[in-house]
Amino acid sequence: MLWTITGFAMDPTMEGFELRDAYHEELDGLSDRLVEMTRLVRSAMARATTALLDADLRLAEEVISSDEQVNKIDLEIEQVVFDLMARQQPVAGDLRTVVTALRMSGDLERMGDLAVHIAKTARRRHPESAIPPELQATVLEMGQIAERMIAKAGSVIASQDVELGLELDADDDAMDRLHRKLFDQLLSPGWKYGVEPAVDITLAGRFFERYADHAVHVAEDVVYLVTGHRPEEILDKP
């Protein structure tokens, strides 16, 4: 006779329970890998922002080279998910876990890429700073919001805190306001730095804005994992 435990069929034997424990360890390992990815992409964004503002070539090169760590974990998660789906055929909550893990891994890998894009902008403009003095405070704040959002996303993954996950949408609104402010400054009659710096700053602003969007996606996936509902469905409830 077979019965279902945590979403897949098990033999009523000690070996079956050992397999179940190994299965749970692999699921927990996905969460641990995702949290590690959040730490790596947070560090990358912090260093990329500093490199951009200070024209720090060493930091820029560090960000670019360390992206391989993020890519490596992303590939590991993909392999684990595909293996679990092939061997265990998870259903219900467990299926939601592995699918959302794959989605979150993709978002986090993209966040690492966006930090690399910012670092490459810093490298391209070296030895000058890519950001004129008038815009430094705005870009610094964008970097700080990006770091805060990914730190929250990591906490949401680790704790599965739905309320904290819902907070990231407000943080993203703050990033969007700064993004618009950056454009207002670039388009003002007083802009005096020419076309090439304007293009670099426009792209950098877009990289920060997209980084924040991906952090929101990660948190939204955790909310869905825990509740079975998307954040907009929860917030629209009376």
Side-chain angles (χ1 to χ4, degrees):
M1 179 179 178
L2 296 175
W3 71 89
T4 300
I5 299 177
T6 68
F8 62 97
M10 295 293 300
D11 281 311
T13 64
M14 184 59 67
E15 181 181 358
F17 284 106
E18 289 172 356
L19 287 172
R20 180 195 64 184
D21 290 342
Y23 174 66
H24 280 173
E25 287 177 6
E26 288 183 283
L27 288 178
D28 291 341
L30 288 174
S31 177
D32 293 341
R33 286 180 171 93
L34 289 166
V35 170
E36 178 61 19
M37 286 183 81
T38 67
R39 295 192 186 106
L40 290 172
V41 300
R42 181 185 182 185
S43 174
M45 178 53 79
R47 289 178 292 160
T49 302
T50 300
L52 187 68
L53 294 171
D54 297 346
D56 191 323
L57 183 60
R58 179 188 60 82
L59 273 182
E61 295 289 2
E62 283 183 7
V63 173
I64 294 165
S65 62
S66 64
D67 190 50
E68 283 302 315
Q69 294 175 267
V70 178
N71 295 338
K72 181 174 181 291
I73 298 176
D74 178 49
L75 182 59
E76 289 173 354
I77 290 173
E78 182 179 289
Q79 291 172 336
V80 169
V81 167
F82 289 162
D83 184 59
L84 286 173
M85 293 183 76
R87 287 191 295 107
Q88 307 293 358
Q89 298 180 354
V91 296
D94 290 344
L95 180 60
R96 196 157 67 226
T97 295
V98 296
V99 171
T100 54
L102 195 59
R103 287 168 53 94
M104 287 188 282
S105 178
D107 278 310
L108 291 166
E109 189 274 335
R110 183 58 183 151
M111 292 170 82
D113 289 343
L114 290 165
V116 167
H117 292 333
I118 292 171
K120 286 182 176 178
T121 301
R123 184 175 67 180
R124 184 169 60 252
R125 299 289 293 169
H126 184 269
E128 302 297 326
S129 171
I131 309 300
E134 298 94 322
L135 301 181
Q136 292 250 338
T138 301
V139 172
L140 175 61
E141 191 174 356
M142 293 178 84
Q144 290 170 340
I145 290 175
E147 285 186 62
R148 183 164 69 245
M149 290 182 71
I150 190 56
K152 277 189 181 180
S155 296
V156 170
I157 294 170
S159 66
Q160 297 194 342
D161 186 332
V162 170
E163 292 301 320
L164 184 61
L166 295 173
E167 288 181 13
L168 270 83
D169 201 45
D171 293 326
D172 189 45
D173 289 341
M175 179 68 87
D176 289 340
R177 285 193 294 271
L178 288 172
H179 192 213
R180 288 192 295 270
K181 180 181 178 181
L182 198 64
F183 269 103
D184 290 342
Q185 291 171 295
L186 287 171
L187 296 174
S188 71
W191 180 255
K192 59 185 179 182
Y193 297 100
V195 173
E196 187 176 355
V199 171
D200 284 338
I201 294 165
T202 299
L203 289 173
R206 178 61 172 165
F207 298 148
F208 283 113
E209 190 265 339
R210 288 300 299 151
Y211 185 99
D213 286 345
H214 284 290
V216 171
H217 294 165
V218 169
E220 287 178 342
D221 278 336
V222 177
V223 171
Y224 173 69
L225 174 63
V226 174
T227 67
H229 298 283
R230 289 293 173 186
E232 59 270 19
E233 297 173 335
I234 296 172
L235 295 173
D236 287 344
K237 286 183 179 180

